[in-house]
Amino acid sequence: MSTQPTPPPQCPAHAAGAGGGGLHRLHGPEAEADPFALYERLRAEYGAVAPVLVSGDLPAWLVLGHRENLDVARTPSRFARDPRGWRDMKEGRVPADTPLGPMVSWVPVCNFTDGPVHERLRGAVVDSLERFDKRGIRRYVTRFANQLVDRIAGDGYADLVASFSDQLPMLVMTQLVGAPDEHGPRLVKAARDMLQGTETALQSDRYVTLTLEQLVMERKVKPAHDLASWLIEHPADLSDTEVLMHLRVVLIAAYETTANLIANTLRTVLTDPRFRASLSGGHMTLPDALEQVLWDDPPINTIIGRWATGDTLLGGQQVKAGDMLLLGLAAGNADPQIRPDPSVSVHGNRSHLAFSSGPHECPGQDIGRAIADTGIEVLLDRLPDLQLAVGADELRWRGTLMSRHILGLPVRFTPRSVENAAPHTERASEHPPHVPIPPQPTVAPGPAPAAGHRRGGGWWRRLFGRR
Ligand code: HEM
């Protein structure tokens, strides 16, 4: 499928040599400034699979081809999710304090396991997530989105990242997980803080863990309609620690991904003329915009990783047993083999890689989509004349190896009092949660906030940050 203009190196470690000379780094300024340009340079040089260097100049293969990404994700017998097979780790070349730590240090949870162990753990998560009633989730989202809009409606301006996209997913997720209402606001704040790499992240992490521990204890005695209770009662018979760890996995896996999806979709909605046209009967609806973003700007660019279980050929490259592979989700979505003209709309086509594929494919995708599209719908309903307060080219991004997010989305709109706002969609649930929303920063109209926004790194990266 993909072309391979130059003879491939034997394996990334050999090609890198002692200092990794000549290989492109997936960390540092080149990648962060414009990851998409780097993918295309790599594709031109190596074809569908490229040798690269990651944090600490460790060698890896970046999978750029759409088909090759699917091959890797769908063939766990050749490419394991369990990082303990990583040769560089086994042979002592990975420093103990590698920033990749949380993504490559094995923990017995569904996203680090393969085979029957994975099936058991993931089965419990998937079955429990499936017990949520879709309409019920949308009601939670509607309720929280309205509360967030209430806070900005009178101002006439806002930063939608700080006041909306960064807030909504955690508000919804803490409810779904089952966090007791008295912990609601503090848990939302702590869970976001823990993931944003602030100075208080460690403290917040402890608070989240303690709250979840308490939740598990409470639900064992008094089950409710929430993820904690359903994981506890699942026939897979998870231990208390397994329940706790999977509640953490779900909270964390859902947060930055969904926040990025909301922010990127809002950017599309506010800047893409095809969406504006749809308001007057044109061609791009909100679900279309969401799907376009999942193709063009997936919330996770790159997944670390998979580890080759034996010597194998992939995209013409000779991969060796124990090599690390990175699933290039964004790169695969832009593969010219499947999208010769990236400017053509992907209308109705859901074969993107944003949720990965195979046995580890995201089990929360429907929930993530529901939070994003219902939330944005409420926002646009309530503030129909929403406009970007800066030029689209003034928006700033921050990139890490795994994800890229907008630092701020300053908008203006006609201020309106909450009492007079559009009939406020309290299509509420039978038991609508009333969780006071923790204070959030506000911005005056002006340029996008400077880099330095607190979000510190990828979602997975902090998954098992030391407590
Ligand atoms: C819309 C935003 C989301 C995106 C783009 C996304 C994407 C992903 C991706 C790419 C993976 C990794 C798959 C792999 O290793 O191949 C993943 C795994 C996972 N996601 Fe999501 N996700 C989103 C939202 C959610 C939500 C809302 C939840 C929970 C309700 C969730 C729960 C999980 C879990 C538990 C895993 C680990 C699954 C496993 O390893 O078996 N995600 N997600």
Side-chain angles (χ1 to χ4, degrees):
M1 281 226 347
S2 302
T3 50
Q4 285 137 29
T6 47
Q10 278 299 293
C11 84
H14 295 162
L23 291 191
H24 292 270
R25 292 190 163 91
L26 276 195
H27 54 105
E30 185 194 13
E32 279 167 27
D34 190 350
F36 289 91
L38 177 59
Y39 303 149
E40 292 324 309
R41 277 200 292 282
L42 289 167
R43 210 187 309 270
E45 203 171 329
Y46 297 103
V49 179
V52 291
L53 298 171
V54 294
S55 203
D57 280 354
L58 292 162
W61 296 105
L62 176 65
V63 186
L64 299 153
H66 187 272
R67 191 188 62 177
E68 290 74 11
N69 267 290
L70 291 180
D71 275 359
V72 173
R74 290 177 180 173
T75 333
S77 55
R78 288 166 66 208
F79 305 104
R81 188 72 183 85
D82 185 334
R84 288 174 296 178
W86 189 12
R87 199 182 50 255
D88 284 312
M89 180 76 96
K90 289 203 272 199
E91 295 176 0
R93 283 185 291 277
V94 182
D97 61 350
T98 173
L100 299 178
M103 290 169 287
V104 297
S105 312
W106 185 79
V107 187
V109 287
C110 65
N111 50 299
F112 279 128
T113 47
D114 299 292
V117 177
H118 175 246
E119 273 163 39
R120 169 176 168 266
L121 297 172
R122 181 182 165 99
V125 172
V126 170
D127 294 345
S128 304
L129 289 176
E130 279 174 359
R131 288 182 68 174
F132 283 112
D133 156 37
K134 304 287 171 294
R135 293 208 339 257
I137 292 179
R138 288 188 186 273
R139 282 194 294 260
Y140 276 130
V141 181
T142 301
R143 171 84 185 202
F144 286 123
N146 270 309
Q147 287 182 22
L148 291 172
V149 176
D150 286 349
R151 296 189 60 140
I152 55 172
D155 297 341
Y157 57 83
D159 168 11
L160 291 182
V161 170
S163 59
F164 195 78
S165 63
D166 252 15
Q167 305 265 344
L168 187 60
M170 210 42 113
L171 286 166
V172 177
M173 288 312 300
T174 46
Q175 288 294 319
L176 298 189
V177 157
D181 275 1
E182 68 272 20
H183 288 294
R186 195 159 164 214
L187 183 62
V188 169
K189 197 161 178 279
R192 290 176 55 242
D193 189 54
M194 148 186 117
L195 294 169
Q196 290 182 330
T198 61
E199 280 156 25
T200 49
L202 209 63
Q203 216 179 319
S204 296
D205 190 357
R206 268 191 222 109
Y207 180 78
V208 171
T209 304
L210 280 175
T211 310
L212 293 179
E213 262 166 17
Q214 189 187 331
L215 171 65
V216 175
M217 292 308 128
E218 280 174 18
R219 290 301 186 257
K220 282 178 73 169
V221 181
K222 197 168 171 230
H225 285 267
D226 54 35
L227 189 63
S229 308
W230 295 332
L231 283 175
I232 292 168
E233 66 194 45
H234 192 275
D237 199 19
L238 303 191
S239 67
D240 292 353
T241 310
E242 286 173 328
V243 172
L244 171 77
M245 290 179 105
H246 284 86
L247 290 175
R248 249 178 95 77
V249 166
V250 164
L251 269 189
I252 293 167
Y255 167 58
E256 185 174 348
T257 51
T258 310
N260 282 353
L261 181 59
I262 297 174
N264 292 346
T265 307
L266 279 171
R267 184 189 71 105
T268 300
V269 160
L270 293 169
T271 58
D272 194 317
R274 287 172 299 178
F275 186 82
R276 284 288 169 194
S278 82
L279 297 176
S280 48
H283 7 265
M284 197 194 257
T285 61
L286 185 51
D288 290 339
L290 207 97
E291 230 51 46
Q292 189 74 42
V293 163
L294 288 166
W295 275 98
D296 295 340
D297 254 313
I300 303 174
N301 288 342
T302 312
I303 287 282
I304 304 174
R306 295 292 194 272
W307 286 270
T309 56
D311 294 357
T312 186
L313 258 186
L314 179 74
Q317 304 282 26
Q318 182 60 62
V319 173
K320 294 281 185 195
D323 280 357
M324 175 160 75
L325 295 104
L326 312 174
L327 293 178
L329 307 182
N333 280 353
D335 185 349
Q337 296 289 332
I338 55 148
R339 279 180 84 188
D341 181 357
S343 67
V344 173
S345 150
V346 292
H347 196 78
N349 183 337
R350 284 191 167 194
S351 58
H352 55 72
L353 303 169
F355 296 110
S356 188
S357 187
H360 291 273
E361 177 172 342
C362 177
Q365 51 192 285
D366 290 345
I367 297 180
R369 275 196 175 96
I371 298 175
D373 72 20
T374 307
I376 296 174
E377 199 177 275
V378 168
L379 179 74
L380 298 180
D381 243 31
R382 296 276 311 275
L383 307 173
D385 61 351
L386 208 57
Q387 278 184 19
L388 212 52
V390 297
D393 52 357
E394 288 173 74
L395 295 176
R396 285 195 262 157
W397 300 75
R398 172 144 179 222
T400 61
L401 171 58
M402 291 191 70
S403 68
R404 203 169 86 99
H405 56 260
I406 303 178
L407 291 170
L409 265 177
V411 291
R412 295 173 196 278
F413 46 87
T414 307
R416 53 198 74 216
S417 68
V418 172
E419 294 76 39
N420 300 335
H424 183 114
T425 10
E426 220 148 286
R427 308 155 201 156
S429 64
E430 306 80 50
H431 307 289
H434 188 79
V435 178
I437 295 172
Q440 53 191 279
T442 51
V443 290
H453 179 75
R454 291 151 296 122
R455 229 196 264 168
W459 61 307
W460 219 252
R461 169 156 180 197
R462 289 180 204 285
L463 202 42
F464 298 104
R466 309 288 164 251
R467 297 192 192 143

